[in-house]
Amino acid sequence: SGGEPPRLAPPAPPGRRMTSVRLMDRYVIVTWLRLFILTALGFPFVAVLIAMIDGLNALLDKGLTVREILVSYLYALPENISLVMPAAVLVATVFTIGNMSRHSELTAAKASGISFHRLLQPILWAAAIASVLALATGELAVTATARQKVLQHDREDQPTAGRFNFVYRGDGGWTYAIRSLDVGSRQLKDVILERPGTGADYPSLVVTADSAGYVDSLHAWELRSGASRIVADAEHQATFRFRTMHLRAMTQSPAELLAPPKAPDEMRYAELGYYIDALRRSGNDTNKLRVEQ
């Protein structure tokens, strides 16, 4: 009606807009980290506390003091933290975005020219770092859980002097059947080593030896007085006898052969991968273990 037309505010200078984006990134990441740390540490602490209360009487009956029980359950935290981390990322993301939406901060950010996808960038980077941290914590949890079992007298800390009539699954699909192992003298008796094959291209191997001794300088076993058999199929086989032989795949030390079989949750990522590969070569179903990995 004859008045002056409304004037539009001039766009913010690039430097000021960049400063606003950095401030928004800092605000988002601080809010997300606060919720993530609270969830990733709080839930495992409560879970460990409940487990400690449930098992308190049993551990006291074993002769453990209250201090020893508290220290042993501290070693249970890495495993619980590694399990909770994916949920912690989800909780932190949902509550961060939810709070910003409830307080109209998302609307203010869009009005200032910051898109929703740009707003999520610091959360995506933080979630990627949390994924790597979860894998590292899972690797640490294997050692911590084993230490917890030792402290709670669920497993012997020091190995015994020997082992008799046992089977050990080695690397590369090899299986060792050993009558006796003497750690003190580092000697094996009546050794049978087998690696299943698939045919002429990948034949089965069977090695038998009367005895074996561990050579420290080579970090390998020296098999003595035995035979090596190559089996391609029922019609194509070959046997070679030897006085001494070194099997490249048999590099485990006497202490490693003495160790009891491990459950999947007691193996590191790479160690479990070798175990899965050995089972697969033997014709076993490894789908469940792959999920565990």
Side-chain angles (χ1 to χ4, degrees):
S1 60
E4 293 183 0
R7 296 180 179 179
L8 298 177
R16 182 179 300 177
R17 187 172 183 274
M18 186 64 65
T19 303
S20 300
V21 172
R22 282 198 290 263
L23 287 174
M24 181 63 71
D25 288 343
R26 188 182 308 169
Y27 172 73
V28 171
I29 197 63
V30 168
T31 304
W32 188 91
L33 281 176
R34 187 184 299 117
L35 293 169
F36 173 77
I37 294 173
L38 180 63
T39 306
L41 297 181
F43 284 3
F45 181 80
V46 173
V48 169
L49 184 62
I50 294 174
M52 184 177 64
I53 293 174
D54 291 340
L56 185 61
N57 290 331
L59 294 176
L60 289 174
D61 292 339
K62 292 182 178 181
L64 273 71
T65 64
V66 175
R67 181 179 177 277
E68 290 174 338
I69 294 174
L70 290 174
V71 172
S72 68
Y73 274 102
L74 288 178
Y75 285 97
L77 282 174
E79 180 181 5
N80 287 272
I81 290 175
S82 65
L83 293 175
V84 168
M85 271 193 179
V89 171
L90 176 63
V91 169
T93 303
V94 169
F95 278 91
T96 298
I97 301 300
N99 289 335
M100 294 183 68
S101 177
R102 184 168 65 253
H103 298 297
S104 300
E105 292 169 329
L106 294 180
T107 303
K110 291 179 180 179
S112 63
I114 303 176
S115 68
F116 182 71
H117 295 89
R118 176 60 185 82
L119 194 69
L120 285 181
Q121 280 188 14
I123 295 181
L124 294 175
W125 281 107
I129 295 173
S131 300
V132 177
L133 186 61
L135 289 175
T137 307
E139 295 287 278
L140 176 64
V142 175
T143 305
T145 302
R147 183 59 183 166
Q148 180 194 13
K149 292 182 178 181
V150 172
L151 293 176
Q152 295 182 354
H153 298 172
D154 290 335
R155 176 179 297 173
E156 294 294 333
D157 194 7
Q158 298 295 331
T160 58
R163 192 178 181 187
F164 302 92
N165 296 324
F166 65 96
V167 177
Y168 184 93
R169 188 171 297 278
D171 300 332
W174 284 91
T175 302
Y176 313 152
I178 302 171
R179 192 185 72 175
S180 67
L181 162 65
D182 189 332
V183 177
S185 62
R186 297 172 174 256
Q187 297 294 318
L188 301 176
K189 297 292 185 182
D190 292 341
V191 182
I192 301 177
L193 314 174
E194 182 178 359
R195 190 208 66 185
T198 57
D201 295 334
Y202 190 76
S204 299
L205 301 178
V206 180
V207 179
T208 60
D210 293 340
S211 62
Y214 188 74
V215 182
D216 291 321
S217 59
L218 299 177
H219 299 288
W221 290 90
E222 183 181 69
L223 303 173
R224 298 187 290 262
S225 302
S228 176
R229 187 179 181 187
I230 302 174
V231 182
D233 51 45
E235 299 179 356
H236 298 86
Q237 302 181 18
T239 302
F240 305 91
R241 297 198 172 274
F242 58 86
R243 292 183 179 178
T244 60
M245 184 182 75
H246 296 280
L247 184 63
R248 184 178 301 175
M250 194 176 182
T251 58
Q252 293 80 11
S253 66
E256 291 174 330
L257 292 179
L258 188 65
K262 294 182 180 180
D265 60 349
E266 295 178 329
M267 299 183 188
R268 298 182 184 274
Y269 185 87
E271 185 180 4
L272 183 56
Y274 293 141
Y275 180 66
I276 290 173
D277 184 64
L279 289 179
R280 181 182 59 81
R281 289 182 178 274
S282 301
N284 293 279
D285 184 8
T286 60
N287 289 332
K288 185 176 180 180
L289 288 177
R290 291 186 184 278
V291 173
E292 292 287 344
Q293 189 185 28

